[in-house]
């Protein structure tokens, strides 16, 4: 259900003005309202997919229904819609330090850039035409890179020296060892630890690829036989790569070589690692704040309605150690 946007401090102040109400009893926060809650409620019927975070304990989520952008305080769990969507999906997202949110547009074939302070759309850029699913995005110094799950290609949206988007798009076909297969192809995207190449997961084949951003040549990353089927959003923290395996309700934790040409599965975060107050229900993407990961639950297996519950799950980044 939808959480109230009234802060607990304001509620206590209001209650002290009522006769016979003690601020001590009225202000006692229930376990679910402790700072940095383990479960954060999203608006009913929101249908989340992507998450972007920070700097600071602020996160943004995109709706698959209409593209609305919802801002949440990780400290309190309270949130509000800061930008009305265009009526098409908001899927993978990344934010920069200047308060710009880069949003993959799913079936619209577009990328949007949103000012998180004002909610204004700074850029609404077509990346491709025809059937497409622009799924995820990663930011590098000179560009925002988007995957397309329907086509064996990436899209480079140029960024100016200060990080602002430029209306210049380059389509980079995936070549080399890339195997598109049937079903969803390229999904989550990240960078290698050196930052010199891209990492892209194929959801259907379960293979992870290192991609040369200059040529699009893809080389399979040697994972020692580990599979990443159902691989969705990815997050790299140093040499650790977190890969969300959506319908398996787990996170694969990969320790990468510096070049990203190889890696090994070091642990898997599952529902057993969660706080008892929360759960996974088809998590899709992941962001990290401090020692915790945050994942929106898309609930793909649950028929969506305007009153369907959606939430964000917090889990320790080193769960399972």
């Amino acid at each position: 259900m939808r959480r109230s946007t009234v802060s607990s401090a304001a509620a206590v102040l209001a209650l002290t003005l009522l006769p016979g109400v003690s601020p001590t009893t009225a202000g006692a926060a229930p376990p679910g309202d402790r700072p940095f809650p383990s479960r954060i409620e999203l608006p009913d019927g929101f249908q989340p997919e992507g998450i972007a975070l920070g700097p600071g304990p602020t996160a943004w989520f995109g709706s698959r229904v209409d593209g609305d952008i919802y801002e949440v305080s990780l400290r309190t769990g309270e949130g509000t819609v800061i930008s009305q969507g265009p009526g098409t999906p908001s899927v993978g997202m990344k934010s920069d330090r200047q308060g710009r949110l880069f949003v993959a547009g799913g079936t619209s074939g577009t990328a949007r850039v949103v000012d998180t302070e004002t909610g204004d759309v700074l850029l609404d850029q077509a990346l491709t035409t025809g059937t497409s699913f622009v799924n995820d995005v990663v930011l590098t110094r000179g560009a925002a890179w988007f995957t397309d799950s329907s086509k064996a290609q990436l899209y480079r949206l140029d960024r100016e020296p200060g990080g602002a988007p430029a209306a210049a798009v380059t389509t980079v076909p995936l070549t080399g060892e890339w195997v598109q297969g049937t079903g969803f192809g390229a999904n989550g995207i990240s960078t290698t630890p050196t930052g010199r190449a891209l990492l892209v997961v194929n959801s259907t084949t379960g293979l992870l690829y290192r991609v040369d951003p200059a040529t699009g040549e893809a080389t399979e990353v040697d994972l020692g036989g580990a599979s990443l089927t159902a691989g969705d959003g990815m997050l790299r923290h140093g040499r650790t790569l977190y890969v969300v395996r959506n319908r398996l309700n787990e996170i694969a934790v990969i320790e990468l070589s510096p070049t990203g040409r190889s890696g090994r599965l070091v642990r898997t975060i599952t529902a057993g690692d969660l706080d008892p107050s929360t759960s996974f229900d088809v998590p899709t993407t992941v962001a990290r704040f401090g020692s915790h990961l945050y994942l929106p639950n898309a609930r793909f297996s649950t028929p969506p309605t305007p009153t369907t519950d959606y939430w964000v799950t917090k889990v320790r980044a080193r769960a399972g150690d």
Side-chain angles (χ1 to χ4, degrees), residues 132-208:
S132 63
F133 195 92
V134 180
N135 201 338
D136 208 351
V137 56
V138 69
L139 302 182
T140 62
R141 179 173 297 180
W145 289 89
F146 294 82
T147 59
D148 190 330
S149 296
S150 295
K151 300 176 180 179
Q153 58 195 35
L154 305 178
Y155 307 107
R156 175 191 165 109
L157 175 66
D158 287 352
R159 300 174 70 199
E160 297 173 356
V169 176
T170 304
T171 299
V172 180
L174 291 168
T175 61
E177 297 179 3
W178 180 266
V179 177
Q180 180 69 11
T182 58
F184 256 37
N187 198 330
I189 184 170
S190 183
T191 56
T192 60
T194 63
R196 296 181 180 178
L198 303 171
L199 295 171
V200 179
V201 67
N202 186 307
S203 291
T204 300
T205 66
L207 300 178
L208 181 67

Side-chain angles (χ1 to χ4, degrees), residues 43-230:
D44 292 346
F46 189 73
Q47 295 187 45
E49 207 281 351
I51 179 176
L53 199 153
T58 301
W60 296 274
F61 301 88
S63 170
R64 304 191 315 273
V65 179
D66 53 14
D68 282 359
I69 304 298
Y70 189 73
E71 180 180 282
V72 169
S73 164
L74 300 181
R75 187 182 303 276
T76 66
E78 303 296 345
T80 188
V81 172
I82 63 162
S83 182
Q84 297 291 328
T88 53
S90 289
V91 198
M93 307 191 302
K94 289 293 184 297
S95 59
D96 66 13
R97 293 185 177 276
Q98 288 72 42
R100 292 180 288 251
L101 192 65
F102 291 74
V103 184
T107 52
S108 70
T110 64
R112 296 195 334 276
V113 182
V114 176
D115 186 324
T116 59
E117 289 295 323
T118 65
D120 293 340
V121 177
L122 304 176
L123 180 71
D124 190 350
Q125 177 69 46
L127 300 178
T128 184
T129 58
T131 301
S132 63
F133 195 92
V134 180
N135 201 338
D136 208 351
V137 56
V138 69
L139 302 182
T140 62
R141 179 173 297 180
W145 289 89
F146 294 82
T147 59
D148 190 330
S149 296
S150 295
K151 300 176 180 179
Q153 58 195 35
L154 305 178
Y155 307 107
R156 175 191 165 109
L157 175 66
D158 287 352
R159 300 174 70 199
E160 297 173 356
V169 176
T170 304
T171 299
V172 180
L174 291 168
T175 61
E177 297 179 3
W178 180 266
V179 177
Q180 180 69 11
T182 58
F184 256 37
N187 198 330
I189 184 170
S190 183
T191 56
T192 60
T194 63
R196 296 181 180 178
L198 303 171
L199 295 171
V200 179
V201 67
N202 186 307
S203 291
T204 300
T205 66
L207 300 178
L208 181 67
Y209 293 90
R210 183 184 187 275
V211 179
D212 184 332
T215 65
E217 183 176 4
T219 305
E220 183 183 340
V221 176
D222 180 3
L223 297 179
S227 174
L228 297 176
T229 52

